[in-house]
Amino acid sequence: TPEEKIGQLIIAGVPDTEMSAETCLSLQERAPAGITFQWYNVINPEQMRVYTAALQDCLAEAGAPPPFLTLAHEGEYVQRFNEGATSFPAALTMSAAGDPQNGYRIGRAAGQELAYSGLNMVLAPVADVLLNYDNEVVHLRTFGDSPELVSEYVAGFVRGYLESGMMPVLKHFPGHGG
């Protein structure tokens, strides 16, 4: 139906940290393609594992396709878990260490924690190239000012995320940087 097609274009938010009858009913009526979580939804990996399973069950009862379950999870400055998950360093800090394999290693480790939590999509990594050092939005969240360096780290993160069962979503387009 047109309503079902529209629902499959939406990744919706939820207002709580656990399944409620009201949230389930709302999701069943809309059958979104996915659900994205914000800081106020997330406590720890165990809580997310229970919550994501309940959300999947709720949507399955309505005959909806399995949803994308996602959150932004970049590291030090964009970290949704309050406890129980590794807080990885910011992208700029990571690239300053000079080992591009860290992109892969951290992407894989972070992806494993997210997959354990019941998530299947991650809004990361940041693929912006730092063009303005005064940019407060992405300054420490980028891998640097070199397109080649940024590409190397982003590619490593993507490989790591994919190997752990996560679907990465590169951001920001059109971008806060280049």
Side-chain angles (χ1 to χ4, degrees):
T1 68
E3 291 82 8
E4 290 169 328
K5 289 178 183 177
I6 291 169
Q8 288 301 293
L9 297 173
I10 296 170
I11 294 183
V14 289
D16 36 31
T17 58
E18 60 186 27
M19 180 56 77
S20 69
E22 183 178 332
T23 296
C24 183
L25 181 60
S26 176
L27 291 172
Q28 287 178 340
E29 288 173 356
R30 290 164 181 80
I35 297 158
T36 189
F37 300 96
Q38 300 299 323
W39 63 269
Y40 51 83
N41 302 120
V42 182
I43 299 170
N44 59 47
E46 291 297 330
Q47 169 261 339
M48 282 304 297
R49 189 176 176 91
V50 170
Y51 194 12
T52 56
L55 289 164
Q56 289 183 37
D57 290 346
C58 166
L59 287 166
E61 286 175 18
F68 293 115
L69 299 166
T70 186
L71 55 67
H73 188 78
E74 301 167 16
E76 187 173 351
Y77 295 101
V78 178
Q79 156 73 339
R80 302 293 184 233
F81 291 93
N82 293 326
E83 61 189 37
T86 307
S87 181
F88 293 100
L92 198 58
T93 303
M94 186 186 323
S95 65
D99 184 357
Q101 275 297 101
N102 284 338
Y104 166 76
R105 291 180 194 114
I106 292 174
R108 185 157 187 230
Q112 289 171 336
E113 288 184 355
L114 295 172
Y116 173 83
S117 301
L119 301 162
N120 55 23
M121 179 185 279
V122 58
L123 304 177
V126 170
D128 289 298
V129 176
L130 185 60
L131 299 177
N132 174 2
Y133 287 91
D134 294 326
N135 184 329
E136 294 180 14
V137 175
V138 295
H139 181 219
L140 298 172
R141 295 166 59 200
T142 70
F143 294 102
D145 59 4
S146 159
E148 294 78 20
L149 177 74
V150 170
S151 297
E152 197 169 11
Y153 277 89
V154 167
F157 260 88
V158 167
R159 278 194 339 271
Y161 282 138
L162 291 172
E163 282 184 20
S164 64
M166 299 299 296
M167 180 184 304
V169 177
L170 280 62
K171 57 185 185 181
H172 303 90
F173 299 105
H176 291 294

